[in-house]
Amino acid sequence: MDERVVEFVSALRSNGVRVSLAESVDSLKAVEVIGVLDRDRFKNALKATLIKEPADVPVFEQIFPLYFGSGGPEMQQPQGLTKEQQEMLERALDELRQQIQELMRMLAQGQRLSDEQLREAARKSGVTRQMRGMNQQVREWLTERMLRQLGLTPEQLRDALESLMKQLKMQGMDREGRQEVSETIQQNADAMREQVSRFVGQNMLNQPSDNPRRRRIDELMNRPLSSLSDAEAEELRNHVRRLVAQLRARAALRMRRANQGNLDAKSTIRHNQRYGGVPIEIKLRRHHLKPKLTVIVDVSTSMRPVAEFLLQMVYEMQDQVSKARSFAFIDDIHDISQPFNEHRPEDAVPLVLHSIPPGHYNTDLGNSLVTFSREFLDTVDRRTTLIFVGDGRNNYNDPRADLVQMLKMRARRVVWMNPEPPYMWGQGDSDMLAYAPLCDAVHQVATLQQLADAIDDLFQHRV
Amino acid sequence: MFNSIADVTSGLLGQQYIASDEIATVVYLAEKMGKPILAEGPAGVGKTELSKAWAGATGRELIRLQCYEGLDESKALYEWEYAKQMLYTQLLRDKLSQIVGEAQTLGQAADRLAGEENVFFSMRFLLPRPLLRAIMSDKPVVLLIDEIDRADAEFEAFLLEILSDFQVSVPELGTLKARTQPMVVLTSNNTRELSEALKRRALYLFIDYPSLESELNIVRMRVPDLSPSVAKQCVEIVQRLRGLDLKKSPSVAETVDWAKALVAINARHLDDKTLNDTLTVILKHESDIQRARRVLSAGKARDVGVR
């Protein structure tokens, strides 16, 4: 049984469920405690120890029956045949064509297909270990092919059964006997089909040791965001939460380490009044560790994918940030903090992008900066990290680098995130070379990995 | 102690908690394997109630730690009682001067005083908070760590240490090891992703809204005075409301409250007026109430039309 559970775990893994070694050990222990007699309880025990995300439950439900299926209806032998009738059946089977003889014999005697037979049939019908992924249609199609190979499709079986019946009649078996034999064979055929279907399912799943989904995520993490297909972007979006959890844990740990500050005399005196002013409890001034962020994002067509992921990540990290304001611009600036305050990040991002549709605008950061410094200058103070997300391409408008300079004087840090590689800066309408020297840091953020690194870096530079 | 899963189910039932087979299995496993349970699910489906019932069924004490943003070790684990220490020092002044009095030099005096240090840093002046209480308890307890997702990530990391070896080191006293291992239930409303490490260590239990049938059972058990037909109607409406896109779906706890309210106003059947008057028990947002009224009355109109 243990072996079976381990195989099952590796099937879960190859379908993208994260199962650690400790968890698989736990599952074995749990099985020991619960036993295997009650299938539902056994299933619940595995579920509680192996599945830790509601999102993984469907995968579990799908794979579980393949490994611990009820085994299909049991194979049976025809009941209530007299010895004479048994012999008749034997002789009738002998008379059948070579091809169907073996199969009908197994069905009539209630034998299961051996592993060898299954493998042989699989080889002949092209079910190989190369079959990747869980595609229900492919699975059905392959099952169908294997059944055909084995002679188990309904039509084939009907023909075979007919010739057997004919033989039995010739042998002189009565109607009831024939009925019994026919029913048993049909039931056994159902069981055998179930066996084949599970065999195919397992073969498609059981690709241990390599994990297509995780490898795929790694690969997607390093693909330029602008070149993702919709499906791939969706996949990455689901990954962002996990990524953020990691970043958050790192940030929180750093904060914990950096939690010692200077003596806060005022607070110490106040707190120690109750001890007659003897300073027993020392109060330390907490650093203003959580950065205050103001994000200015270019949401023109070329920048959308990057903007989307960045906004989502910044707002998922909100508990590590003391305050976040965000602005989007194409030709002019829009305050987009509101939707983020009211909705969860994954809902707010599409909302914002939807409200500022891309079109044939004239990207103009210069103009946007003018508006920004006229109306929202109060969002930048000496504790603020100002983040620009954009490619620095201004359609030959005035870059207004002087305004960035002014903002830099006010802000604690100015960080620029640009999806373009450095060699493209300054080419064509890019004003990046004018902006870059004014920033404390410039990150290239073409891929999600780079984006994650850049955000991690933000939280390293605390006061 | 439970000896079988059926034991768990009946034990919890004795505490008026209807446990699904899944819940009973997980509780049984936690008991046998000594692992914490991480219960997730929407608010008000009985995650907290489960630990209360568990404690009740096994006769253990329930120690509860409610998490919130900014919760730190001193509030969760232990604190020194400075005030009490101060008071004792004042009261024992004479005795102290007696001890120190005979000393010839300052160094000697300090040494003697140091010899008495243990008095002031002993369990007497230690104020145990829930976590330490759970660990130090002589009898096994059920430790409920409620809404762990509200605490900071750093507290979660700290909790991991405790949950993995059930020991705490207090610098002045040394390491305090658990005498009996507490049964731990962590609950989360899933407002943020918990760390992988925490999930790895726990048995995972997702509790969702109950089916119509089991919710009806819960109402019948908790509010036996309500007439069966009203109870059924009541649960049906709640189940229907959960299907709507409301700001806050009614929880099981609220269904029970509603049922109690109906008993209190002595409702024989659930007519429009009663429904309108009591809807505020299950729905807490004005916009939700408006919406529910619209949908429910529309449903009724359609029923009439069919007739």
Side-chain angles (χ1 to χ4, degrees):
Chain A
M1 198 45 166
D2 284 7
E3 223 166 274
R4 197 80 180 134
V5 174
V6 172
E7 273 173 30
F8 175 63
V9 168
S10 79
L12 281 178
R13 284 196 187 122
S14 52
N15 279 279
V17 179
R18 286 171 175 237
V19 182
S20 72
L21 192 61
E23 282 166 323
S24 73
V25 172
D26 280 349
S27 71
L28 291 178
K29 275 191 206 150
V31 169
E32 229 168 81
V33 173
I34 294 290
V36 292
L37 292 178
D38 187 325
R39 183 161 171 267
D40 282 338
R41 283 177 182 165
F42 172 70
K43 182 175 168 186
N44 284 334
L46 285 188
K47 199 162 149 193
T49 44
L50 295 173
I51 302 296
K52 306 289 168 82
E53 311 263 349
D56 289 337
V57 173
V59 179
F60 178 87
E61 297 286 349
Q62 204 171 1
I63 301 179
F64 184 82
L66 294 174
Y67 278 79
F68 309 102
S70 50
E74 279 298 305
M75 297 279 210
Q76 313 162 346
Q77 299 199 339
Q79 304 286 320
L81 290 189
T82 59
K83 195 148 192 205
E84 211 173 313
Q85 282 173 322
Q86 289 277 12
E87 276 164 20
M88 283 180 194
L89 178 60
E90 206 52 37
R91 277 198 299 275
L93 283 167
D94 281 343
E95 292 296 317
L96 287 176
R97 271 181 300 134
Q98 181 65 36
Q99 251 179 316
I100 53 174
Q101 198 187 71
E102 200 182 337
L103 177 73
M104 293 314 274
R105 177 155 290 158
M106 288 178 72
L107 287 176
Q109 291 166 356
Q111 285 173 17
R112 289 174 156 264
L113 289 165
S114 69
D115 279 1
E116 220 145 279
Q117 283 170 313
L118 277 171
R119 244 172 271 140
E120 173 74 10
R123 199 180 51 75
K124 282 186 183 159
S125 50
V127 180
T128 61
R129 298 217 153 224
Q130 263 78 54
M131 297 293 168
R132 281 275 152 85
M134 274 282 287
N135 186 328
Q136 198 58 33
Q137 276 165 338
V138 173
R139 189 179 148 197
E140 272 164 25
W141 178 69
L142 286 171
T143 311
E144 182 71 27
R145 280 184 62 136
M146 253 183 89
L147 289 178
R148 191 166 298 281
Q149 182 65 39
L150 289 161
L152 268 171
T153 59
E155 305 86 56
Q156 286 171 315
L157 192 74
R158 203 179 50 227
D159 291 349
L161 204 56
E162 246 166 51
S163 27
L164 180 66
M165 287 301 125
K166 225 179 267 166
Q167 289 293 336
L168 283 176
K169 208 170 181 182
M170 276 162 66
Q171 299 285 341
M173 191 187 271
D174 58 12
R175 248 195 76 200
E176 272 151 39
R178 289 205 305 267
Q179 183 81 16
E180 171 64 29
V181 172
S182 154
E183 266 169 21
T184 313
I185 285 182
Q186 269 167 2
Q187 273 170 18
N188 286 347
D190 282 342
M192 213 178 244
R193 283 197 196 106
E194 176 69 31
Q195 200 189 351
V196 170
S197 157
R198 277 173 62 192
F199 175 83
V200 174
Q202 279 173 30
N203 258 285
M204 292 180 62
L205 287 171
N206 206 355
Q207 314 291 342
S209 76
D210 70 334
N211 179 339
R213 197 161 103 185
R214 194 172 316 164
R215 235 189 13 225
R216 197 169 147 70
I217 288 286
D218 285 348
E219 189 229 340
L220 286 181
M221 286 279 291
N222 289 308
R223 275 258 295 283
L225 292 171
S226 47
S227 72
L228 295 177
S229 70
D230 284 352
E232 287 166 338
E234 190 55 44
E235 213 168 315
L236 268 192
R237 236 166 265 142
N238 294 332
H239 185 61
V240 163
R241 275 191 86 179
R242 177 165 273 145
L243 194 68
V244 167
Q246 283 170 6
L247 286 179
R248 183 191 290 123
R250 272 169 65 95
L253 209 61
R254 259 188 230 121
M255 185 139 79
R256 193 169 138 90
R257 300 229 173 92
N259 219 349
Q260 295 98 26
N262 297 325
L263 179 72
D264 184 344
K266 218 158 91 182
S267 170
T268 305
I269 291 172
R270 197 167 52 235
H271 262 89
N272 288 294
Q273 286 298 321
R274 55 174 160 158
Y275 312 129
V278 182
I280 287 178
E281 271 180 272
I282 304 296
K283 289 286 162 186
L284 300 176
R285 197 187 298 279
R286 267 178 89 108
H287 294 299
H288 294 296
L289 286 161
K290 295 190 172 179
K292 216 166 131 181
L293 300 182
T294 297
V295 193
I296 299 181
V297 191
D298 183 348
V299 288
S300 58
T301 321
S302 59
M303 286 295 301
R304 275 195 173 227
V306 179
E308 182 192 329
F309 280 103
L310 176 104
L311 284 174
Q312 196 187 341
M313 287 176 77
V314 164
Y315 278 91
E316 291 272 6
M317 296 275 290
Q318 201 151 30
D319 59 336
Q320 296 297 324
V321 175
S322 74
K323 196 172 184 191
R325 288 294 296 268
S326 43
F327 300 89
F329 73 92
I330 298 180
D331 56 341
D332 205 347
I333 205 126
H334 304 264
D335 185 353
I336 54 170
S337 312
Q338 188 82 358
F340 282 99
N341 293 336
E342 289 175 359
H343 301 273
R344 289 182 77 109
E346 59 264 36
D347 303 329
V349 171
L351 217 70
V352 164
L353 293 185
H354 191 72
S355 69
I356 312 173
H360 297 286
Y361 295 107
N362 198 341
T363 307
D364 189 349
L365 178 57
N367 179 37
S368 308
L369 281 173
V370 171
T371 318
F372 180 78
S373 38
R374 195 174 57 229
E375 288 179 20
F376 304 111
L377 204 55
D378 59 314
T379 60
V380 180
D381 61 25
R382 62 186 179 80
R383 282 178 50 206
T384 315
T385 301
L386 182 63
I387 305 169
F388 287 98
V389 185
D391 50 11
R393 291 186 180 273
N394 265 339
N395 285 335
Y396 304 105
N397 290 313
D398 186 356
R400 295 302 301 260
D402 57 318
L403 285 177
V404 178
Q405 170 76 38
M406 182 272 290
L407 289 170
K408 177 186 162 64
M409 306 276 274
R410 288 180 67 95
R412 188 160 68 82
R413 290 185 87 225
V414 176
V415 177
W416 198 294
M417 299 190 185
N418 188 337
E420 286 187 357
Y423 67 83
M424 305 252 299
W425 301 352
Q427 285 182 19
D429 59 350
S430 170
D431 289 318
M432 200 55 212
L433 289 180
Y435 294 130
L438 299 174
C439 301
D440 296 279
V442 181
H443 299 282
Q444 195 204 335
V445 291
T447 69
L448 189 60
Q449 183 63 56
Q450 287 172 335
L451 197 56
D453 292 344
I455 289 181
D456 193 40
D457 190 64
L458 277 185
F459 289 92
Q460 272 175 31
H461 290 275
R462 294 164 190 268
V463 189
Chain B
M1 279 298 281
F2 299 123
N3 292 318
S4 70
I5 295 176
D7 254 16
V8 178
T9 315
S10 64
L12 293 179
L13 199 64
Q15 300 295 315
Q16 298 217 320
Y17 188 93
I18 298 179
S20 67
D21 207 38
E22 187 174 352
I23 294 176
T25 309
V26 173
V27 169
Y28 180 70
L29 274 178
E31 187 94 37
K32 290 286 166 199
M33 296 168 70
K35 284 201 158 275
I37 295 178
L38 172 61
E40 277 193 321
V45 289
K47 300 187 290 290
T48 309
E49 211 57 33
L50 169 64
S51 44
K52 285 185 191 159
W54 188 6
T58 49
R60 295 186 175 114
E61 190 194 348
L62 177 74
I63 294 179
R64 179 174 180 164
L65 174 67
Q66 173 69 47
C67 295
Y68 51 89
E69 209 178 327
L71 175 68
D72 60 4
E73 290 163 39
S74 70
K75 288 185 194 105
L77 197 56
Y78 70 89
E79 255 180 319
W80 286 107
E81 262 188 291
Y82 293 111
K84 199 168 163 192
Q85 281 172 334
M86 279 298 293
L87 196 64
Y88 270 59
T89 336
Q90 293 288 330
L91 292 173
L92 300 178
R93 191 179 271 163
D94 294 345
K95 194 74 191 157
L96 283 174
S97 55
Q98 221 175 69
I99 294 171
V100 181
E102 297 156 22
Q104 303 296 322
T105 65
L106 205 58
Q108 242 176 9
D111 284 346
R112 288 194 179 183
L113 203 58
E116 305 296 322
E117 235 170 34
N118 287 344
V119 176
F120 289 98
F121 288 102
S122 63
M123 290 307 287
R124 185 175 300 151
F125 297 102
L126 196 71
L127 196 66
R129 299 288 185 187
L131 285 180
L132 190 63
R133 270 211 350 250
I135 287 179
M136 301 285 294
S137 166
D138 288 323
K139 282 180 280 175
V141 296
V142 174
L143 173 63
L144 166 64
I145 301 174
D146 219 358
E147 301 188 345
I148 172 76
D149 51 334
R150 286 215 209 158
D152 307 321
E154 50 180 310
F155 182 74
E156 204 179 304
F158 157 76
L159 206 56
L160 269 181
E161 285 175 42
I162 309 258
L163 292 185
S164 55
D165 18 292
F166 291 105
Q167 62 177 34
V168 173
S169 72
V170 180
E172 293 87 352
L173 292 179
T175 304
L176 302 174
K177 226 177 148 26
R179 291 177 200 151
T180 53
Q181 190 175 328
M183 294 290 126
V184 184
V185 181
L186 298 137
T187 76
S188 157
N189 287 337
N190 222 347
T191 55
R192 71 176 171 87
E193 194 93 342
L194 298 174
S195 77
E196 301 253 319
L198 190 72
K199 287 185 170 179
R200 240 190 340 258
R201 278 183 181 66
L203 298 172
Y204 185 81
L205 177 62
F206 188 83
I207 307 182
D208 211 341
Y209 289 122
S211 63
L212 192 135
E213 206 172 308
S214 39
E215 189 162 17
L216 195 55
N217 283 338
I218 294 170
V219 170
R220 278 197 194 130
M221 171 172 251
R222 289 291 174 100
V223 195
D225 298 337
L226 191 66
S227 81
S229 66
V230 179
K232 183 142 190 284
Q233 245 180 322
C234 184
V235 172
E236 272 170 3
I237 288 176
V238 169
Q239 294 261 341
R240 194 151 149 225
L241 289 178
R242 283 196 195 121
L244 301 178
D245 180 27
L246 296 178
K247 269 190 186 159
K248 191 194 156 301
S249 291
S251 68
V252 182
E254 282 164 325
T255 314
V256 172
D257 284 347
W258 193 28
K260 281 181 186 156
L262 290 175
V263 171
I265 61 170
N266 208 2
R268 296 274 163 68
H269 46 85
L270 205 53
D271 52 22
D272 276 352
K273 187 173 176 311
T274 331
L275 183 65
N276 266 335
D277 290 348
T278 54
L279 208 53
T280 44
V281 180
I282 44 172
L283 295 174
K284 308 291 164 73
H285 286 276
E286 184 53 33
S287 59
D288 283 357
I289 295 173
Q290 297 291 356
R291 187 153 178 191
R293 275 189 190 141
R294 255 201 323 276
V295 171
L296 292 175
S297 61
K300 205 143 274 168
R302 214 179 315 125
D303 289 347
V304 173
V306 170
R307 260 179 240 145

